[in-house]
Amino acid sequence: MSSPSLPFLQVENLARAYPSPTGGDDVTVFDHVNFRIHKGEFICVTGHSGCGKSTILNILAGLDSASAGNVFMDGREVSGPSLDRGVIFQSHALMPWLTVLENVTFAVKSRWPSWSKQKIRDHAMRYIELVGLKGAEHKKPSQLSGGMKQRVGIARAFSIEPKMLLMDEPFGALDALTRGVIQDELLKICAETQQTVFMITHDVDEAILLSDKIMLMSNGPHARIAEIVNNTLPRPRDRSVVHKHAHYYPIRNHLVDFLVSRSKQFGSLRDAPGAPSSPTVFDPSDLVESEPAVVPAPPVGKPHIHLVNA
Amino acid sequence: MKTRLSLSQKSALLSLALFGVILLVWQLTTLPEAKVVADGIDPEYAALMGGGASTAASSFPTPAAMGQTVWEKLSDPFYDNGPNDKGIGIQLAYSLARVLGGFFLAAAVAIPLGFAIGNSRVVYAALNPYVQVLKPISPLAWMPLALYTIKDASASSIFVIFICSLWPMLINTALGVANVRRDWLDVSRTLEVKPLRLAFRVILPAAAPTILTGMRISMGIAWLVIVAAEMLVGGTGIGYFVWNEWNNLSLTNVLFAILMIGVVGMALDSIFGLLGKRVAYQE
Ligand SMILES: Nc1ncnc2c1ncn2[C@@H]1O[C@H](COP(=O)(O)OP(=O)(O)O)[C@@H](O)[C@H]1O
Ligand SMILES: [Mg+2]
């Protein structure tokens, strides 16, 4: 409990229960969720559907409230939505009656109501250009492809310069090619802006490419953050060479292994005597330095695995 | 035929042909009487029996006579020769003024109230029984009450229009507001959008297509009801005109008024159709 610098975001003993559909005791989706995020960190969260990832994100956003526990950001308790926390929704959530530019200026004007029209417009255009949508600013969302819509969502979220960005499977609905392009853009923008990010993803490769840390959630009910993986791959990262790094496959195998088997076992182990009360931390640098030979040869042309669980 | 007709050209041709058939049937069914007069019966006898010149007023008019009436009435729509002889333009203007007055009063009540109902489950549940009971009441049933309390015929018909336009707008506004996508509200919440800005910039445009559908239905009903209301209270308006001409046994004028009611109703409806297109959005 004695971190040198106070964490930017601190989540303490968060829990969420819903009334049971059958009328019995409440169903606890997750409990004892503790984690911290430092300024400028990119955190990915992964786990099977229904374990409560979206619920945690919505609590961080202030859109939902916890049954127990607290969230502190910058030393202040999070109690409702705020311009300090930008959200990128999976369904992009653009307003279809507004153009691309109007969607972004709507956000900018919310953030800086006293700015002049011109200043709001210029600011919005900067972010529209940043996501490569210059020229499409007067189009309506219905005229855009899925990838372009999500880019508008990104531009809108970044344009308010939030202290923290929350993303709920932002690229889940996109095809693999488009997803790759937008991931690269996100990587670039985050490097430029030093944005603190909390992102939910089902895509192991996406998590490895983007994150500093990956939090792994066990299956619910009573889901927890079971493991934390330190992503030691050096930045700047390039998707075409990132898999050549010695730490890539240890991390990847660890993640896939967790999702395929350990996520289920965790529930039964949790209450066993001597079970770890805080998440185990996996750091590939420990592993690789002691046993460099363990690194498996990367299979050639390994496809992008997208773990969507049923 | 080398050039193929487009769909709209085909339907225009068909429409025109149908119009021709209607005119022909109309002409044929109104013809025999005139023929009988011509076929050797003493014209004086015919006149005595209600034929001849005076029949033009009471019996069913021929298309030609009808056409002439339409032409005459439309070429001087705004003359005013006292209470029982006003131009069709003036009568329609009276009716339109009442309809628009009642309609916009209703909109001023229904849209804010619909917002409140759509935004809050509590308000919805509290007001729902009233709406359910009041909605099925024929607007004309309010007329005696209105005449008794307001004591003015014209204001009473405006009130009747108000009542009948209220429900579709109220229900549709509440429906539109309640069904605004969760995502748009969540985005607005994370942007800390103030309530008034949320109402005008997010909820209103999101619900606008549904609200406009309600307004269009209301306007349609109001235009139906005004004719009946004016028949009831008399004085001025297209409804009174129809009744008055029926008392004058001028079927030609009645037919003409019916035609005008249809044309104005169609115009009102298409205005709301256009407005609806303006606020429509594609998700
Ligand atoms: N309104 C609700 N009422 C009851 N249960 C809910 C409600 N919302 C979510 N849940 C339950 O909470 C669990 C977590 O949901 P969610 O956070 O969306 O999971 P994830 O994003 O990890 O797939 C799910 O099992 C779901 O059934
Ligand atoms: Mg989810």
Side-chain angles (χ1 to χ4, degrees):
Chain A
M1 285 282 152
S2 57
S3 56
S5 65
L6 209 67
F8 173 64
L9 185 103
Q10 188 158 354
V11 174
E12 286 175 355
N13 263 317
L14 210 63
R16 182 69 156 103
Y18 283 110
S20 163
T22 51
D25 285 348
D26 285 1
V27 179
T28 302
V29 180
F30 57 82
D31 54 7
H32 301 292
V33 167
N34 293 286
F35 61 89
R36 292 140 173 242
I37 300 178
H38 291 277
K39 204 151 186 79
E41 256 184 337
F42 197 125
I43 304 290
C44 278
V45 184
T46 195
H48 287 275
S49 279
C51 69
K53 305 179 296 295
S54 298
T55 310
I56 291 179
L57 184 134
N58 285 332
I59 293 170
L60 297 189
L63 294 169
D64 198 348
S65 49
S67 310
N70 307 84
V71 178
F72 296 95
M73 190 173 94
D74 249 357
R76 297 232 306 276
E77 174 141 31
V78 168
S79 58
S82 154
L83 282 158
D84 287 341
R85 275 160 278 124
V87 184
I88 295 177
F89 297 83
Q90 175 169 20
S91 58
H92 59 75
L94 299 179
M95 307 202 186
W97 57 90
L98 299 178
T99 63
V100 168
L101 181 61
E102 286 165 343
N103 265 289
V104 181
T105 54
F106 180 77
V108 177
K109 191 165 168 53
S110 307
R111 179 78 175 83
W112 295 284
S114 60
W115 278 13
S116 72
K117 263 204 161 65
Q118 190 58 43
K119 192 166 182 192
I120 288 173
R121 196 197 139 94
D122 291 346
H123 185 89
M125 276 312 293
R126 243 198 25 245
Y127 283 92
I128 290 173
E129 279 169 39
L130 199 63
V131 296
L133 280 181
K134 195 175 182 202
E137 65 266 24
H138 295 303
K139 290 202 169 134
K140 292 273 170 71
S142 57
Q143 297 167 284
L144 304 179
S145 67
M148 287 162 96
K149 282 183 207 165
Q150 200 49 276
R151 284 190 177 123
V152 182
I154 294 172
R156 179 173 64 184
F158 274 90
S159 73
I160 59 167
E161 295 174 0
K163 289 185 183 163
M164 181 166 185
L165 201 61
L166 304 166
M167 298 194 260
D168 192 348
E169 296 179 45
F171 312 132
L174 305 181
D175 63 277
L177 265 175
T178 314
R179 196 187 311 147
V181 174
I182 301 186
Q183 283 166 355
D184 287 342
E185 278 168 8
L186 187 65
L187 210 53
K188 198 185 76 197
I189 301 171
C190 285
E192 278 171 28
T193 55
Q194 289 298 306
Q195 184 69 55
T196 313
V197 183
F198 178 91
M199 171 169 163
I200 296 172
T201 178
H202 272 130
D203 184 336
V204 169
D205 296 287
E206 180 171 273
I208 297 174
L209 182 70
L210 298 174
S211 71
D212 297 309
K213 270 184 199 161
I214 302 161
M215 302 200 294
L216 302 172
M217 282 186 77
S218 59
N219 293 355
H222 294 280
R224 286 185 189 181
I225 297 191
E227 300 184 19
I228 293 178
V229 177
N230 284 329
N231 187 347
T232 45
L233 294 176
R235 289 182 191 271
R237 295 181 190 151
D238 180 340
R239 72 170 58 253
S240 57
V241 292
V242 77
H243 62 271
K244 293 190 178 136
H245 193 273
H247 291 181
Y248 183 83
Y249 278 96
I251 295 175
R252 195 174 194 289
N253 292 342
H254 189 87
L255 296 179
V256 173
D257 232 40
F258 177 85
L259 289 172
V260 171
S261 52
R262 291 199 306 281
S263 60
K264 297 185 201 71
Q265 298 160 0
F266 187 81
S268 50
L269 289 179
R270 191 171 50 103
D271 298 321
S277 59
S278 57
T280 43
V281 176
F282 174 78
D283 193 318
S285 42
D286 306 338
L287 189 74
V288 177
E289 271 151 30
S290 54
E291 291 175 82
V294 159
V295 183
V300 188
K302 180 100 172 123
H304 193 80
I305 289 188
H306 189 64
L307 278 171
V308 183
N309 32 52
Chain B
M1 213 163 39
K2 272 181 202 160
T3 51
R4 298 189 128 258
L5 292 171
S6 77
L7 219 60
S8 58
Q9 281 170 322
K10 274 187 204 164
S11 46
L13 271 181
L14 193 61
S15 266
L16 220 62
L18 203 60
F19 185 63
V21 170
I22 291 169
L23 279 187
L24 192 71
V25 172
W26 184 358
Q27 178 75 34
L28 289 178
T29 48
T30 47
L31 208 54
E33 210 178 355
K35 238 187 176 152
V36 170
V37 176
D39 274 0
I41 294 172
D42 182 13
E44 271 180 53
Y45 173 74
L48 273 175
M49 295 307 288
S54 64
T55 41
S58 59
S59 71
F60 208 82
T62 61
M66 190 65 218
Q68 201 188 347
T69 308
V70 170
W71 177 250
E72 276 168 15
K73 295 263 178 201
L74 286 185
S75 53
D76 186 13
F78 296 110
Y79 72 89
D80 189 351
N81 299 334
N84 282 340
D85 192 11
K86 293 188 201 311
I88 190 77
I90 290 183
Q91 303 287 27
L92 282 171
Y94 273 113
S95 301
L96 269 175
R98 285 174 194 141
V99 162
L100 293 180
F103 176 83
F104 283 113
L105 275 177
V109 172
I111 293 173
L113 197 61
F115 253 74
I117 294 175
N119 260 328
S120 153
R121 283 170 173 278
V122 177
V123 180
Y124 176 87
L127 292 187
N128 194 39
Y130 293 96
V131 175
Q132 295 308 328
V133 170
L134 293 175
K135 192 180 61 168
I137 299 172
S138 163
L140 291 170
W142 293 95
M143 191 56 103
L145 211 59
L147 286 170
Y148 174 76
T149 46
I150 307 175
K151 296 189 174 60
D152 176 80
S154 194
S156 296
S157 35
I158 293 176
F159 174 77
V160 166
I161 294 302
F162 168 84
I163 285 288
C164 76
S165 345
L166 194 65
W167 311 117
M169 281 196 270
L170 184 69
I171 290 163
N172 268 42
T173 305
L175 200 74
V177 169
N179 288 334
V180 173
R181 282 249 312 264
R182 191 57 208 247
D183 282 350
W184 302 332
L185 297 177
D186 280 351
V187 167
S188 309
R189 285 175 68 201
T190 62
L191 293 174
E192 297 184 47
V193 177
K194 300 274 183 298
L196 218 58
R197 188 160 178 254
L198 181 73
F200 282 102
R201 295 294 309 278
V202 181
I203 298 176
L204 189 62
T210 320
I211 296 175
L212 246 124
T213 305
M215 294 176 93
R216 193 176 181 179
I217 296 170
S218 281
M219 184 49 93
I221 294 175
W223 191 243
L224 290 180
V225 167
I226 193 66
V227 175
E230 286 170 346
M231 282 182 176
L232 217 57
V233 297
T236 47
I238 191 72
Y240 171 70
F241 179 84
V242 171
W243 198 247
N244 199 33
E245 295 305 323
W246 161 238
N247 287 335
N248 294 342
L249 290 179
S250 170
L251 281 184
T252 318
N253 283 346
V254 170
L255 265 177
F256 171 66
I258 288 173
L259 188 67
M260 285 298 108
I261 292 170
V263 169
V264 173
M266 185 182 74
L268 288 173
D269 188 65
S270 49
I271 288 172
F272 280 92
L274 282 177
L275 285 177
K277 274 216 184 88
R278 286 279 300 273
V279 299
Y281 54 81
Q282 200 187 342
E283 274 186 51

